[in-house]
Amino acid sequence: MSNEFKNYINGEWVAGAETRPNINPSDTSDIIGHYAQADAAQTEAAIDAAQAAFAGWAFSTPQQRFDVLDQVGNELLARREEIGRLLSREEGKTLPEGMGETHRAAMIFKYFAAEALRLGGETLASVRPGVSVDVIRQPVGVVGLIAPWNFPIAIPAWKIAPALAYGNAVVFKPAELVPGCAWTIAEILSRTALPKGVFNLVMGPGSQVGATLVDSPKVKALSFTGSVATGRRIIASCAARQAKVQAEMGGKNPVIVLDDADLNVAVNAAVQSAYFSTGQRCTASSRIIVTEGIHDRFVEAVVAKLETLKVDHALKAGTDIGPVVDQRQLDQNLRYVDIAQKEGGRLAFGGDVVERETRGFYQRPALITETRNDMTISREEVFGPVANVIRVRDYDEALAVANDTEFGLSAGLCTTSLKHAAHFKLHAQAGMVMINLPTAGVDYHVPFGGSKGSSYGPREQGSYAREFYTTVKTAYTFPG
Ligand SMILES: NC(=O)C1=CN([C@@H]2O[C@H](COP(=O)(O)OP(=O)(O)OC[C@H]3O[C@@H](n4cnc5c(N)ncnc54)[C@H](OP(=O)(O)O)[C@@H]3O)[C@@H](O)[C@H]2O)C=CC1
Ligand SMILES: O=C(O)CCC(=O)C(=O)O
């Protein structure tokens, strides 16, 4: 088959037992390619290759690491449009979003190229005379990276780049729905000076490839992004065998709009973070908490804005919102819109399936008003273009409602009050707080992660990523 894409194991391209078609959610008649499906045995082979290659890469020079990562960053930048198009084709983000994400992935590789040069330890005086103490950072070993489908290139980048920058060997499993961007990163890495076995790509089902990575005693650290259910199982399995684990598992992110907010700023922040990228972001604002003085004006303005947004093929010029990623996710979105209404919410806009020229998973953005925080729609992550509005009296009630959730990834506040902004930054129970900004769409050089049920383990991204991808050794020296 000419458009067959293989796994990359120990520096070789290896066919899987089977292949799986990569289907365009904007047009299900468009097959992007057929991607290899690894089984447990092939995954074991990748882990063994990584283990054999680890010692060499662990003692590679910072310059070697810089050169590899910078080369990947440069190539992603140069091929931003082509790869952005592939991303939009396989995941359904609009082309500007796909290109933006590719640009972000390039920046992440370039950032961690420089991080490889900066990695250092600490030297302290001992409490004993004549003794010095060095705190040395060393790589962890073989790391397993499991990525979700909603950021096909940025999330792989922010796992692969720090893993390699800090000297680890990698076995990477992308999500089944989006192998194309993952394969592209592997192909670029295969043309760098990275020694064979240091980076391995194993595409295939989570139940086999993912589970083998999670359970292998040779995998010393596991980084996961995806659903709460899978994440919690992975955390328990890794803890049981004392492997390091980092999991990012979504949210039910609030954005508060206060009476004193700038209406345009608030509408843009809420609409952008609830509906762009088809709402398929763990940082999406799905609970919009609005004080009563601005409530009606705000809802009216959001509906007016939603009426102008075009839902269509991700690659069509002028599309604002692409398709939902697949039928399963679309069914989940529709189910939540239905439940919200049955529990007393009012569908103020959209939520329905729409047909376009091509057969895809198109849904109009849904705005549900007159909801309470104890309704299902306010408690569970939908992961689609669906948001609900909760009316509150004042800032204090808004903050209490915002914090009343099992999640804590991102939280937003729209206000012109410095006093409330300062208070919110300290008291919002979330790993990331946004004032007058969308809750989604973060910088690449600062820590990313949440509190409560959203995240587990050390933060991803920025220099904080070293906490997960390195281990600390304390060396005492007495020169004699
Ligand atoms: N926090 C976030 O950013 C994300 C949250 N989600 C949420 O999760 C829901 C379901 O999406 P889904 O893609 O099924 O999420 P999953 O958590 O099942 O998938 C995330 C990753 O984990 C892999 N995986 C699945 N099962 C296992 C396992 N037993 N052991 C190891 N790895 C495994 C998946 O592989 P495979 O693709 O082969 O199944 C994928 O690579 C969405 O509706 C959304 O609510 C989804 C994506 C991202
Ligand atoms: O909002 C962002 O920029 C990142 C979101 C993200 O990582 C996710 O949805 O998984």
Side-chain angles (χ1 to χ4, degrees):
M1 213 178 292
S2 61
N3 64 347
E4 188 177 322
F5 297 86
K6 296 179 177 170
N7 283 316
Y8 186 65
I9 299 172
N10 203 23
E12 307 284 337
W13 293 101
V14 187
E18 291 170 30
T19 60
R20 187 180 199 272
N22 184 0
I23 298 168
N24 180 347
S26 297
D27 176 0
T28 54
S29 69
D30 177 27
I31 307 294
I32 296 152
H34 295 267
Y35 289 78
Q37 293 277 284
D39 55 12
Q42 218 171 44
T43 311
E44 292 286 3
I47 295 169
D48 287 345
Q51 194 175 40
F54 169 63
W57 187 245
F59 291 97
S60 58
T61 64
Q63 188 65 51
Q64 283 172 289
R65 298 181 197 176
F66 174 92
D67 289 345
V68 166
L69 297 172
D70 198 51
Q71 185 178 333
V72 178
N74 287 338
E75 186 162 337
L76 291 177
L77 268 188
R79 295 172 58 195
R80 187 169 164 262
E81 177 161 1
E82 170 216 334
I83 298 171
R85 192 170 283 277
L86 168 67
L87 195 164
S88 298
R89 210 174 143 207
E90 72 175 348
E91 198 268 348
K93 283 193 174 122
T94 64
L95 183 56
E97 289 173 334
M99 287 170 61
E101 190 183 326
T102 307
H103 186 269
R104 177 171 170 180
M107 290 299 131
I108 291 167
F109 272 98
K110 291 177 84 65
Y111 174 85
F112 281 107
E115 267 298 284
L117 300 175
R118 279 192 289 262
L119 182 65
E122 266 185 295
T123 300
L124 292 91
S126 168
V127 293
R128 285 170 280 169
V131 174
S132 67
V133 183
D134 295 313
V135 182
I136 303 166
R137 287 211 175 251
Q138 291 189 305
V140 180
V142 176
V143 299
L145 309 178
I146 301 180
W149 48 261
N150 62 327
F151 278 81
I153 200 156
I155 292 181
W158 79 55
K159 293 185 191 297
I160 295 167
L164 296 177
Y166 299 131
N168 300 281
V170 169
V171 182
F172 167 48
K173 187 215 127 29
E176 290 254 74
L177 289 175
V178 293
C181 288
W183 188 90
T184 303
I185 295 180
E187 199 279 326
I188 297 173
L189 276 167
S190 77
R191 288 185 280 101
T192 66
L194 195 67
K196 71 178 181 130
V198 174
F199 173 83
N200 303 274
L201 169 75
V202 264
M203 301 174 284
S207 55
Q208 287 200 42
V209 174
T212 305
L213 282 175
V214 170
D215 293 335
S216 170
K218 295 171 190 162
V219 174
K220 301 298 179 205
L222 203 296
S223 179
F224 167 85
T225 303
S227 66
V228 173
T230 306
R232 286 191 182 151
R233 277 203 305 274
I234 288 176
I235 292 166
S237 303
C238 288
R241 64 176 184 83
Q242 295 186 326
K244 267 183 124 167
V245 60
Q246 169 186 68
E248 201 283 287
M249 300 166 288
K252 197 68 210 173
N253 310 296
V255 57
I256 297 175
V257 179
L258 295 184
D259 285 356
D260 65 18
D262 178 311
L263 188 62
N264 278 335
V265 167
V267 170
N268 284 331
V271 169
Q272 152 62 255
S273 44
Y275 303 112
F276 282 51
S277 300
T278 324
Q280 296 173 155
R281 296 186 284 196
C282 55
T283 44
S285 306
S286 48
R287 291 183 301 144
I288 309 176
I289 301 163
V290 190
T291 50
E292 51 200 10
I294 196 171
H295 179 277
D296 293 356
R297 275 183 298 139
F298 174 80
V299 168
E300 198 180 313
V302 169
V303 169
K305 176 88 183 169
L306 294 181
E307 273 162 358
T308 68
L309 298 182
K310 288 194 182 62
V311 178
D312 209 329
H313 196 298
L315 293 174
K316 203 169 186 174
T319 295
D320 297 297
I321 299 177
V324 172
V325 74
D326 68 358
Q327 187 65 50
R328 189 179 74 150
Q329 186 64 52
L330 179 59
D331 291 343
Q332 176 166 310
N333 301 347
L334 294 170
R335 198 169 62 246
Y336 276 109
V337 171
D338 189 45
I339 292 172
Q341 291 175 88
K342 287 194 173 123
E343 291 184 7
R346 186 178 78 83
L347 187 59
F349 187 85
D352 49 331
V353 171
V354 284
E355 288 189 4
R356 294 294 178 254
E357 273 171 36
T358 50
R359 188 185 285 266
F361 308 108
Y362 298 111
Q363 181 181 22
R364 284 201 305 160
L367 183 72
I368 302 154
T369 58
E370 313 307 330
T371 62
R372 298 185 317 272
N373 203 42
D374 61 357
M375 290 178 175
T376 309
I377 192 72
S378 300
R379 312 306 304 177
E380 297 175 14
E381 186 176 51
V382 179
F383 222 67
V386 179
N388 61 296
V389 178
I390 303 170
R391 189 196 302 254
V392 291
R393 275 186 315 279
D394 53 17
Y395 171 73
D396 290 338
E397 188 186 352
L399 179 65
V401 168
N403 286 340
D404 176 15
T405 170
E406 68 167 293
F407 295 108
L409 187 58
S410 181
L413 173 66
C414 296
T415 183
T416 49
S417 155
L418 201 52
K419 183 177 141 203
H420 287 138
H423 188 271
F424 189 70
K425 280 192 260 185
L426 293 180
H427 296 278
Q429 294 169 2
M432 295 174 291
V433 179
M434 315 289 184
I435 308 295
N436 294 322
L437 287 167
T439 55
V442 299
D443 285 6
Y444 62 83
H445 66 304
V446 288
F448 177 89
S451 59
K452 303 200 280 190
S454 288
S455 301
Y456 185 85
R459 288 283 189 263
E460 300 197 81
Q461 301 199 60
S463 60
Y464 285 71
R466 73 175 57 173
E467 295 307 326
F468 180 71
Y469 290 104
T470 63
T471 181
V472 161
K473 185 182 279 177
T474 311
Y476 295 81
T477 308
F478 179 57

